[in-house]
């Protein structure tokens, strides 16, 4: 976009489209060279073409930009106001001053509403506070339009600027229902700073807001949130219970089974709680099973009850099982892992088997990748990991079993010559290993 001198048709499209594109145009003009933009002196002629004037307003020479500002100040072109706004944050003070005087003379309510998206973008250019002040001074009249800006960063900035203008009920509604988590957190934190709507925000705020709200309530309320769906909130509740002299694990043992309660028991329990988590490995809810596996990884890292979940129908559970079994060859053997690569099994199950085989040793990693290269589902993963081995593996200091060595040599026949030479070189050096 904007990688060549501007045509009249492109100018018309730009002038009738999203005003934020003018900021991109300003930056783009300096990325390409046009000899006839090197104007003689600062003169633009009596009636320069609109597209030439637009380019001149973004030219690298301050004298050309200032001359363009003077032309735009006297004109009524649709592109005049956005270009003048851009020059209001120019890095040259005389250009800024001329552009600001011209901009203020053209900004009525209708124009200001149309330019709000561009003003919010230009306020990020750290020249001075003039653009931010312009936005703040007019925000009470344009509040709804400012809060509805499409650009995510601008919308967040507008909400931050509007905190003192919004009634408490509207702040609460935004904190509970807005689609942007950052905006919800911003408005919720503003209410908690005033000590308002603590209970409502504790029930329906974003995780950061609920965490903050927990610090403003009593111990009994804190205990009610030990099983919160957010790990951030659970951690704060656990810390507050410990600070009050309580035991979070004791509370979790008495709570009904829920994802938050099982996760919390895994986070605070001891090895004596392993049986409690193991009995939830058969729960019908995937999140409960996943949290049970994660908890066992902490309190019972050698539990044999986890291994059957390698074939769990939920990918989320299988990922937790893979994390549990890494580095524990005694819990699952290589033949069992190879059975998981069977083409008829679900993709996430096959991927789990491949991940654990690669985790065993370098030779099994190479063999697994070479075996899976033709596979329609896992071939891309195998190719990527093989490439990573080629780039980062300096050498192998073990000797592969004879059968594995033969299979790797056979699989090299279909590889590209460079990769095949590299693997055969490692196999050759391995002959001399003990």
């Amino acid at each position: 976009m904007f990688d060549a001198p501007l045509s009249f048709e492109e100018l018309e499209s730009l002038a009738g489209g999203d005003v934020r594109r003018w900021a991109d145009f300003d930056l783009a003009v300096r990325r390409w060279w046009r000899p006839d933009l090197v104007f003689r002196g600062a003169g633009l002629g009596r009636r320069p073409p609109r597209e030439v004037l637009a380019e001149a307003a973004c030219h690298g020479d301050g004298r050309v930009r200032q001359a363009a500002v003077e032309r735009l100040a006297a004109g009524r072109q649709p592109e005049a106001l956005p270009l003048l706004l851009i020059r209001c944050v120019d890095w040259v003070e005389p250009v800024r001053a001329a552009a600001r005087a011209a901009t203020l003379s053209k900004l009525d309510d209708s124009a200001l509403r149309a330019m709000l998206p561009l003003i919010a973008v230009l306020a990020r250019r750290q020249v001075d506070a003039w653009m931010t002040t312009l936005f703040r001074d007019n925000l009470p009249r344009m509040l709804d339009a400012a809060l509805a800006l499409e650009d995510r960063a601008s919308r967040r900035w507008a909400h931050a600027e509007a905190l003192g203008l919004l009634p408490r009920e509207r702040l609460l509604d935004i904190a509970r229902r807005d689609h942007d988590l950052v905006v919800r957190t911003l408005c919720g934190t503003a209410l908690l700073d005033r000590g308002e709507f603590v209970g409502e925000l504790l029930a329906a705020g974003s995780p950061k807001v609920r965490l903050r709200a927990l610090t403003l309530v009593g111990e009994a309320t804190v205990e009610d949130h030990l099983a919160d769906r957010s790990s951030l909130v659970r951690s704060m509740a656990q810390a507050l219970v410990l600070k009050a002299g309580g035991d979070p694990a004791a509370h979790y043992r008495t709570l009904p089974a829920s994802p938050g309660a099982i996760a919390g028991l895994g986070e605070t329990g001891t090895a004596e709680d392993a049986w409690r988590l193991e009995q939830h490995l058969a729960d019908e809810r995937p999140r409960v099973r996943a949290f049970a596996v994660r908890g066992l990884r902490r309190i019972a890292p050698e539990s044999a009850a986890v291994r059957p979940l390698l074939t769990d129908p939920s990918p989320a559970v299988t990922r937790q099982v893979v994390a549990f079994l890494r580095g524990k060859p005694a819990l699952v053997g290589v033949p069992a892992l190879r059975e998981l690569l069977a083409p008829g099994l679900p993709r996430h199950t096959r991927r789990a088997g491949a991940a654990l085989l690669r985790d065993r040793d370098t030779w099994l990693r190479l063999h697994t990748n070479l075996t899976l290269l033709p596979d329609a589902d896992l071939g891309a993963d195998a190719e990527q990991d093989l490439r990573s081995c080629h780039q980062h593996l300096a050498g192998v200091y073990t000797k592969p079993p004879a059968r594995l060595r033969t299979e790797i040599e056979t699989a090299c026949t279909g590889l590209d010559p460079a990769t095949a030479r590299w693997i055969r070189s490692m196999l050759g050096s391995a002959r001399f290993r003990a």
Side-chain angles (χ1 to χ4, degrees):
M1 186 170 58
F2 309 127
D3 57 356
L6 193 67
S7 67
F8 179 77
E9 291 75 17
E10 290 171 332
L11 175 65
E12 287 290 292
S13 174
L14 194 55
D18 187 343
V19 293
R20 293 174 295 177
R21 295 180 65 211
W22 286 107
D24 298 328
F25 173 74
D26 175 49
L27 299 175
V29 167
R30 293 178 216 124
R31 287 200 292 264
W32 42 264
W33 176 252
R34 180 176 173 182
D36 59 337
L37 271 180
V38 184
F39 300 97
R40 187 168 183 173
L44 288 173
R46 296 184 63 182
R47 296 175 65 90
R50 286 171 55 194
E51 61 271 23
V52 172
L53 184 59
E55 291 174 346
C58 304
H59 194 269
D61 189 329
R63 294 169 298 173
V64 175
R65 295 198 306 278
Q66 187 163 10
V69 165
E70 294 170 0
R71 295 284 185 180
L72 292 168
R76 295 180 177 273
Q77 307 95 321
E79 66 272 13
L81 186 53
L83 287 170
L84 287 170
L85 274 168
I86 288 172
R87 296 282 63 84
C88 286
V89 288
D90 197 279
W91 61 94
V92 177
E93 195 280 329
V95 178
R96 287 201 306 271
R100 290 172 181 180
T103 296
L104 293 177
S105 69
K106 291 177 177 288
L107 267 184
D108 54 24
D109 280 0
S110 175
L112 183 64
R113 193 178 298 274
M115 293 298 121
L116 269 181
L118 180 59
I119 291 173
V121 169
L122 294 176
R124 301 172 206 164
R125 297 191 181 183
Q126 300 178 353
V127 176
D128 56 24
W130 188 88
M131 194 65 69
T132 301
T133 302
L134 176 68
F135 184 86
R136 287 173 179 167
D137 290 346
N138 292 281
L139 186 56
R141 294 184 290 125
M142 308 288 172
L143 186 58
D144 290 335
L147 298 183
L149 289 171
E150 294 181 7
D151 176 35
R152 183 172 62 180
S154 298
R155 186 174 180 272
R156 291 173 176 176
W157 178 64
H159 277 81
E161 294 292 335
L163 290 176
L165 300 174
L166 292 169
R168 59 200 294 267
E169 291 78 11
R170 187 169 180 185
L171 278 175
L172 176 62
D173 185 65
I174 294 172
R176 295 169 71 176
R177 296 183 176 86
D178 196 86
H179 62 85
D180 187 340
L181 192 63
V182 172
V183 171
R184 290 176 60 194
T185 302
L186 190 70
C187 295
T189 301
L191 286 170
L192 292 178
D193 287 341
R194 309 174 196 170
E196 298 176 340
F197 296 119
V198 176
E200 291 85 344
L201 291 170
L202 187 56
S206 67
K208 287 186 178 180
V209 170
R210 298 203 307 278
L211 181 149
R212 170 80 186 284
L214 269 182
T215 65
L216 304 176
V217 297
E219 183 180 348
T221 306
V222 169
E223 292 173 359
D224 292 339
H225 287 80
L226 280 168
D228 194 275
R229 60 188 180 277
S230 166
S231 60
L232 194 66
V233 179
R234 286 199 306 274
S235 296
M236 175 57 75
Q238 292 161 9
L240 291 173
V241 169
L242 285 171
K243 184 178 180 181
D247 179 11
H251 290 282
Y252 286 124
R253 293 179 190 118
T254 64
L255 291 176
S258 68
I262 299 304
L265 183 59
E267 291 159 355
T268 61
T270 65
E272 297 176 355
D273 296 306
W275 68 271
R276 292 185 171 90
L277 294 179
E278 288 174 349
Q279 70 181 1
H280 292 293
L281 293 176
D283 194 284
E284 62 181 9
R285 293 164 291 180
R287 289 190 68 206
V288 171
R289 298 198 301 274
F291 281 132
V293 175
R294 193 183 73 171
L296 287 169
R297 181 152 52 106
R298 175 185 167 270
I299 66 175
E302 301 301 323
S303 172
V306 173
R307 183 249 178 272
L309 272 70
L310 265 174
T311 55
D312 193 277
S314 168
V317 176
T318 305
R319 285 193 294 270
Q320 289 295 333
V321 175
V322 169
F324 181 95
L325 292 174
R326 284 191 188 277
K328 301 170 186 173
L331 294 182
V332 57
V334 171
L337 292 176
R338 284 180 172 162
E339 290 177 4
L340 298 179
L341 302 181
L345 293 176
R347 182 178 181 181
H348 69 273
T349 301
R350 302 179 69 218
R351 181 171 281 173
L356 290 173
L357 282 170
R358 292 187 186 107
D359 192 56
R360 285 302 173 93
D361 62 48
T362 302
W363 297 115
L364 270 174
R365 180 181 180 185
L366 287 173
H367 180 269
T368 301
N369 289 332
L370 293 171
T371 302
L372 293 175
L373 277 177
D375 191 277
D377 290 330
L378 303 183
D381 291 347
E383 183 178 359
Q384 182 178 2
D385 192 65
L386 193 61
R387 190 181 304 116
S388 177
C389 286
H390 195 178
Q391 291 175 349
H392 304 294
L393 195 61
V396 184
Y397 301 98
T398 59
K399 187 175 181 178
R403 181 178 176 181
L404 188 63
R405 177 192 185 89
T406 302
E407 292 176 355
I408 292 175
E409 287 178 335
T410 303
C412 285
T413 56
L415 294 179
D416 66 272
T419 305
R421 279 196 305 271
W422 166 68
I423 293 176
R424 288 181 178 127
S425 172
M426 288 203 302
L427 287 170
S429 65
R431 293 179 188 275
F432 306 103
R433 306 291 179 193

